[in-house]
Amino acid sequence: MGHRTKGELRTRSGCRKCRERRVKCPEQRPICGHCKRLGFTCRYEIKLNWQDVVLFESNDSTPRELPQDLLVSIQSWMFLNTVHADFNPDNFRTDLENKLDRPSAQVEDLELEYQTEALAPYPQYLSPFRLGEAESYLWSYFDQFMTPQIVIDPGFNPYRHIVLKMAACFQEGPLFQCVLAAAANQLQSIGRDEYKSVVWLHRAKALRLLRSQISQLASAGADETGCRIAKDQVIASTIMLTFFEISKDCSDSWTVHSDFARNFLSSRLKDIGSMSAEQEALLYFAVTYFVSHDILAATGGTLVEAAEMVSEMCKSTNNSTILGITGCSKDLLTLISEITQMSLLIEQSNTKPLPPAVQQRRDNVERHLHQLRQDIPGEFGSFKSEFIIVAEVKRLTAILYLYSRIDGAGPHEPHMIRITSQILSLLPKISLRTHTGLWPLFIVATLGVRPECDEDRKFILSRLTDLYQTRQLANVNKARLIVEDVWRLRDLRPEDSQGWSILQGRRHGAISLA
């Protein structure tokens, strides 16, 4: 008898989300343990794939990049995530009757659950919606060719499972235009110059509609459901506009969106108890997105306002969302933010040695970093091993950042050499499919690699080149420019073993490293 394969551990009776993610479903009903933990919508119905969606699914005969012309002739109608339950109004009643078999003590919770579902502004699954040929092409490009390269685990993909669903539900909103602008920008960046004007057309529409949504909220004239939809559109659109600006040229404009989002989300977090599951998932995703960008950007010298607010917002979200999006734990992001806040206090006091209270705070951070355990749950399935490596690389990078920024340690010091060597040994094991390795690459290149280590420099430049070719992100190019500037300065002054201060006053402006 042969051993059971990994595929045999899964069951055909599991929920749709677990089968999509290729992990074994615990099969609790109505919501399995995996979906409950990760905030997914849990369904057990059979999925019906329609028309063009089937043609765009990956298989051995489908190329991994779009040719100049369409792969298929995209029709005007697109059927997305449609299940037979959508066409059967009796399913709601039958499902409710089945759940009423629970003990009577749970009936009140059950009624509350269905009241919440009835108030939710988004249908669980989308109905057919109409797109023109040009819009269909951009939509499909973002869905099929961009979203898989944004996340580590394609099964945990808020861009596809949250952003696209919201955009499809409200095509008249700004989010839909943001998605099309992002897709057009990516196509232009790979040489499709015919999309140059399309990029700015959809971006202009998105900004106009976003201003309208914000004005609608300010006037307080909309009903409760309209306000919830408007708030969600504002949050998701701000994510996608930031995504666009970082991808386009990584100019300082992305920090303007981030500053707005920080204040808007801080207010929105107060409503967490009255949200539907989907709205809560969007909020956690948005907080994780902007908090991680703010915290990691500050390590590269970008001035981030309200650092303490960012740290508190980080603590408010759940660890699974942070882990799934960033590849590291909430505790690690909080510790990185703590290092930055300490450094700002030290710069303001301008005293050496460190005051006893600051020294104790620094030692506590160091101890926590060395003892930090970043447990990766089994829900990430076949990507668990990659998450483990990413989390460890980022933990080591945070230690390097601590020694360089707080202690002023340069790359020639023995403990810096040791940690740099550990990071460089693990970096080749991180997939270039996503850009999650950009922050460790940047920090180890600027703070850890010594001038005489030509092989290490070649490796760093090679990884940055490969990373750029994967997604053509402008922040990767900007990171490379800063790295080369730092190396040039270290080559000119090899005896001056500067720590993090070498990053101060860089001429390239804000840098996104998330």
Side-chain angles (χ1 to χ4, degrees):
M1 293 293 291
H3 295 290
R4 295 172 66 186
T5 66
K6 182 176 180 180
E8 292 171 331
L9 294 176
R10 301 192 301 270
T11 62
R12 294 183 180 273
S13 56
C15 74
R16 279 181 47 192
K17 180 55 64 178
C18 288
R19 280 183 286 167
E20 286 176 5
R21 299 180 65 238
R22 300 184 179 182
V23 298
K24 183 178 180 181
C25 180
E27 300 188 39
Q28 298 98 333
R29 296 183 184 244
I31 303 175
C32 78
H34 292 173
C35 290
K36 184 175 182 180
R37 178 184 179 88
L38 297 172
F40 292 137
T41 300
C42 190
R43 293 290 288 262
Y44 286 86
E45 288 86 352
I46 299 171
K47 180 179 180 181
L48 304 178
N49 290 318
W50 294 84
Q51 210 168 15
D52 302 315
V53 176
V54 176
L55 295 177
F56 268 101
E57 288 182 347
S58 299
N59 55 54
D60 293 338
S61 62
T62 303
R64 294 305 301 165
E65 58 180 333
L66 289 176
Q68 293 294 318
D69 298 319
L70 295 175
L71 276 172
V72 295
S73 176
I74 299 177
Q75 305 299 320
S76 296
W77 286 95
M78 297 177 65
F79 294 80
L80 300 177
N81 299 328
T82 308
V83 298
H84 75 278
D86 296 323
F87 303 99
N88 184 2
D90 293 330
N91 271 354
F92 180 88
R93 178 181 53 79
T94 304
D95 199 28
L96 178 58
E97 290 172 352
N98 290 338
K99 290 183 179 181
L100 284 174
D101 290 335
R102 300 180 186 177
S104 58
Q106 299 182 21
V107 171
E108 186 176 342
D109 292 338
L110 216 163
E111 291 175 352
L112 179 61
E113 175 185 333
Y114 278 100
Q115 288 173 7
T116 303
E117 288 182 4
L119 291 173
Y122 307 109
Q124 286 195 332
Y125 292 87
L126 302 181
S127 299
F129 67 98
R130 191 176 186 86
L131 291 179
E133 186 171 301
E135 291 178 335
S136 296
Y137 183 76
L138 292 174
W139 179 276
S140 296
Y141 186 83
F142 185 86
D143 180 28
Q144 301 295 329
F145 294 90
M146 289 180 66
T147 60
Q149 296 178 338
I150 304 174
V151 294
I152 302 173
D153 178 5
F156 185 84
N157 195 331
Y159 292 92
R160 174 175 285 168
H161 303 143
I162 299 176
V163 171
L164 284 182
K165 185 174 181 179
M166 284 181 55
C169 285
F170 300 98
Q171 294 177 60
E172 69 280 5
L175 180 57
F176 183 77
Q177 298 298 328
C178 289
V179 169
L180 300 186
N185 175 63
Q186 178 72 14
L187 285 165
Q188 183 198 355
S189 70
I190 61 174
R192 300 289 296 273
D193 291 336
E194 66 269 28
Y195 285 96
K196 186 174 182 179
S197 60
V198 177
V199 171
W200 300 111
L201 173 66
H202 288 298
R203 181 180 181 272
K205 287 182 178 179
L207 288 171
R208 175 173 53 81
L209 291 169
L210 180 58
R211 293 189 191 101
S212 175
Q213 292 280 12
I214 295 172
S215 298
Q216 177 184 342
L217 289 172
S219 66
D223 58 24
E224 184 179 350
T225 300
C227 281
R228 292 203 304 270
I229 292 172
K231 288 178 180 178
D232 294 345
Q233 283 282 316
V234 168
I235 291 172
S237 299
T238 308
I239 291 174
M240 290 308 301
L241 283 171
T242 306
F243 177 96
F244 175 90
E245 300 294 348
I246 291 171
S247 302
K248 182 68 179 174
D249 54 15
C250 198
S251 64
D252 291 0
S253 57
W254 76 263
T255 63
V256 176
H257 297 309
S258 183
D259 290 342
F260 166 77
R262 191 184 309 117
N263 293 299
F264 192 88
L265 291 171
S266 180
S267 173
R268 188 69 171 134
L269 281 168
K270 299 174 184 176
D271 303 328
I272 194 76
S274 60
M275 294 181 184
S276 68
E278 287 177 329
Q279 289 175 312
E280 189 174 299
L282 169 65
L283 185 61
Y284 283 148
F285 168 45
V287 170
T288 299
Y289 181 89
F290 287 107
V291 160
S292 60
H293 274 79
D294 284 345
I295 290 175
L296 298 185
T299 68
T302 299
L303 180 61
V304 175
E305 298 179 2
E308 292 184 3
M309 179 191 292
V310 170
S311 184
E312 288 303 312
M313 288 175 66
C314 181
K315 295 174 184 176
S316 68
T317 190
N318 64 53
N319 193 55
S320 293
T321 302
I322 291 181
L323 190 61
I325 295 171
T326 67
C328 65
S329 67
K330 175 167 64 175
D331 290 340
L332 182 58
L333 274 183
T334 304
L335 288 169
I336 295 169
S337 181
E338 175 78 359
I339 295 168
T340 302
Q341 291 179 58
M342 273 194 297
S343 71
L344 296 176
L345 289 175
I346 294 168
E347 290 170 10
Q348 290 171 5
S349 63
N350 196 25
T351 58
K352 289 193 177 183
L354 297 179
V358 177
Q359 183 65 49
Q360 183 179 5
R361 188 176 172 184
R362 176 243 176 255
D363 294 343
N364 286 337
V365 170
E366 181 183 20
R367 184 176 66 256
H368 283 125
L369 283 173
H370 282 289
Q371 296 175 351
L372 182 64
R373 287 176 54 88
Q374 301 182 88
D375 296 324
I376 311 298
E379 286 87 343
F380 290 110
S382 60
F383 292 91
K384 181 176 180 178
S385 59
E386 186 171 354
F387 273 101
I388 291 172
I389 294 171
V390 172
E392 177 61 10
V393 168
K394 291 191 174 183
R395 184 187 71 85
L396 291 169
T397 304
I399 295 174
L400 192 75
Y401 175 57
L402 169 71
Y403 291 153
S404 184
R405 183 148 194 183
I406 303 299
D407 302 344
H412 287 94
E413 299 192 28
H415 59 301
M416 297 288 283
I417 295 173
R418 183 180 67 256
I419 297 170
T420 297
S421 177
Q422 290 177 299
I423 295 171
L424 291 173
S425 69
L426 290 173
L427 279 173
K429 300 177 183 179
I430 298 179
S431 170
L432 289 170
R433 180 175 46 81
T434 73
H435 57 283
T436 189
L438 178 60
W439 181 65
L441 273 171
F442 178 85
I443 294 296
V444 78
T446 54
L447 306 181
V449 173
R450 289 163 287 157
E452 64 271 20
C453 297
D454 289 339
E455 290 302 316
D456 292 343
R457 287 186 171 187
K458 288 179 183 178
F459 167 74
I460 294 289
L461 293 178
S462 173
R463 296 292 287 189
L464 288 172
T465 299
D466 292 342
L467 198 58
Y468 180 77
Q469 290 176 350
T470 301
R471 286 262 328 273
Q472 293 80 39
L473 292 173
N475 63 327
V476 177
N477 265 350
K478 180 176 276 192
R480 177 170 180 152
L481 290 174
I482 297 174
V483 166
E484 290 175 347
D485 265 7
V486 169
W487 287 351
R488 195 174 297 113
L489 185 57
R490 291 201 189 278
D491 288 342
L492 291 173
R493 302 175 183 173
E495 73 288 346
D496 184 7
S497 184
Q498 291 188 63
W500 183 87
S501 61
I502 200 168
L503 286 173
Q504 290 180 300
R506 299 291 97 209
R507 59 184 173 85
H508 300 289
I511 174 71
S512 166
L513 296 169

